[in-house]
């Protein structure tokens, strides 16, 4: 088995749903070459193509290039108990570390940013600026060697803090929070899949904290009816945001940033 085949197997081990084009983008190889190697690995029994239900989502074998056999049911000691495993605890500690920069900057300057940055020119400029950044980073990914961090668990405290610093940029209106953190992760040496996964975990406490700040800013003198309406609104917005971010994360794991970058540039020009 050659080095490229080993790299393909390693990527599929970290995310069994990766397609040939996504793998080719990560490794800087031609999609046709990766597809040929995947077919060869299948014929030799190294890869098993099949239909599997993963995280409640039915994956049709015709919709993916190849899958490495993965266990759908959690192993003994995982599942709910897995929330208390040391790896999981360490991951959430890293998430907390990554939140700190945006909390330190965002909380004291929230009112100032609302007053001075929430306007059309700023939003348009950020849309175009980060659209260009997405395209440039994607081109850099295609010309550089394989990312050294392929799994979210390999992100250390220093890298988590650096990704958190990139999240500070998203405090400026028109900047995509998930986009900024994924870009930061990739520039720090993460694969697109690892950066996307960490960004998703980072979104949960970030959005919850931002909502809490807004509630506290407007005071807590609500009637019972207003509290019910507020609670329903907050929960609905939170759930929709999580679904939207997870959908975006799934897309980014398997596709390049180029289309998203051009979308931002066009939207910025319209704004």
């Amino acid at each position: 088995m050659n080095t490229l085949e080993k790299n393909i197997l390693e990527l599929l081990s970290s995310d069994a749903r990766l397609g040939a084009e996504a793998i080719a983008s990560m490794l800087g190889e031609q999609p046709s070459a990766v597809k040929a190697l995947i077919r060869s690995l299948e014929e030799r029994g190294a890869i098993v193509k099949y239909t599997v239900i993963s995280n409640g989502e039915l994956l049709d074998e015709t919709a993916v290039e190849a899958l490495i056999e993965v266990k759908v049911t959690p192993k003994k000691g995982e599942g709910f108990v897995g929330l208390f495993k040391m790896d999981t605890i360490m991951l959430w500690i890293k998430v907390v570390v990554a939140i700190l920069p945006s909390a330190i900057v965002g909380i004291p300057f929230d009112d100032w940013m609302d007053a001075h940055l929430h306007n059309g020119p700023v939003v348009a400029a950020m849309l175009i600026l980060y659209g260009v950044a997405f395209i440039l980073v994607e081109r850099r990914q295609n010309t550089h060697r394989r990312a050294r961090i392929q799994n979210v668990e390999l992100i250390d405290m220093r890298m988590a803090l650096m990704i958190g610093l990139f999240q500070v940029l998203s405090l400026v209106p028109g900047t995509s929070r998930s986009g900024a953190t994924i870009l930061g992760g990739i520039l720090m040496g993460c694969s697109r899949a690892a950066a996307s996964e960490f960004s998703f975990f980072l979104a949960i406490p970030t959005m919850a904290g931002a909502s809490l700040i807004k509630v506290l800013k407007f005071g807590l003198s609500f009637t019972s009816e207003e509290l019910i309406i507020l609670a329903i609104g907050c929960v609905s917005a939170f759930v929709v945001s999580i679904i939207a971010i997870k959908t975006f994360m799934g897309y980014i794991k398997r596709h390049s940033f180029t289309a998203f970058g051009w979308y931002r540039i066009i939207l910025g020009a319209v704004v």
Side-chain angles (χ1 to χ4, degrees):
M1 185 176 291
N2 60 40
T3 302
L4 182 54
E5 289 176 330
K6 290 179 181 178
N7 289 339
I8 290 172
L9 287 175
E10 184 178 343
L11 284 173
L12 285 171
S13 296
S14 64
D15 186 346
R17 294 171 291 178
L18 283 173
E21 291 187 0
I23 293 173
S25 176
M26 293 176 181
L27 298 179
E29 302 288 341
Q30 292 296 322
S32 58
V34 172
K35 288 180 181 179
L37 285 175
I38 286 175
R39 281 194 294 269
S40 172
L41 290 167
E42 287 175 349
E43 292 170 358
R44 286 145 53 191
I47 296 176
V48 180
K49 182 186 280 189
Y50 66 111
T51 301
V52 62
I53 295 178
S54 177
N55 296 326
E57 178 184 0
L58 179 64
L59 299 176
D60 184 2
E61 64 180 0
T62 61
V64 293
E65 192 60 41
L67 293 172
I68 278 186
E69 185 176 2
V70 292
K71 293 187 180 297
V72 177
T73 55
K75 298 176 183 178
K76 185 177 181 181
E78 294 184 355
F80 178 76
V81 178
L83 292 173
F84 302 100
K85 290 173 60 178
M86 183 53 66
D87 288 345
T88 307
I89 293 172
M90 288 304 299
L91 174 60
W92 283 108
I93 291 175
K94 294 169 191 174
V95 168
V96 171
V97 170
I99 291 171
L100 292 177
S102 55
I104 292 171
V105 176
I107 293 175
F109 291 101
D110 186 55
D111 290 336
W112 185 89
M113 288 186 289
D114 282 346
H116 295 86
L117 300 181
H118 282 266
N119 56 68
V122 171
V123 172
M126 292 302 102
L127 284 169
I128 294 172
L129 176 63
Y130 285 98
V132 173
F134 287 137
I135 294 172
L136 292 178
V137 168
E138 191 59 48
R139 289 180 179 175
R140 176 181 179 273
Q141 279 284 95
N142 293 334
T143 57
H144 281 62
R145 61 184 177 83
R146 181 167 169 262
R148 59 188 178 86
I149 302 296
Q150 294 292 323
N151 192 305
V152 69
E153 293 178 353
L154 298 178
I155 295 175
D156 57 23
M157 294 294 181
R158 177 181 172 277
M159 184 173 290
L161 180 61
M162 295 302 294
I163 294 173
L165 290 174
F166 276 92
Q167 181 168 249
V168 174
L169 300 175
S170 68
L171 295 174
V172 180
T175 304
S176 166
R177 189 213 62 81
S178 54
T181 51
I182 294 173
L183 280 177
I186 290 175
L187 291 173
M188 292 301 298
C190 294
S191 68
R192 188 187 291 109
S196 299
E197 188 173 354
F198 189 75
S199 179
F200 175 74
F201 285 117
L202 187 55
I204 298 173
T206 299
M207 292 191 302
S211 298
L212 179 61
I213 290 172
K214 295 298 182 184
V215 170
L216 294 176
K217 182 190 293 186
F218 290 108
L220 298 175
S221 57
F222 298 104
T223 65
S224 57
E225 184 176 324
E226 288 173 334
L227 281 174
I228 293 173
I229 295 173
L230 179 63
I232 293 173
C234 287
V235 171
S236 300
F238 183 80
V239 171
V240 171
S241 297
I242 290 295
I243 293 172
I245 290 172
K246 190 165 186 178
T247 301
F248 176 68
M249 296 297 101
Y251 174 86
I252 290 301
K253 281 184 178 182
R254 294 163 184 80
H255 300 83
S256 75
F257 278 118
T258 304
F260 185 62
W262 282 114
Y263 159 76
R264 289 181 61 91
I265 292 171
I266 294 170
L267 182 61
V270 172
V271 171

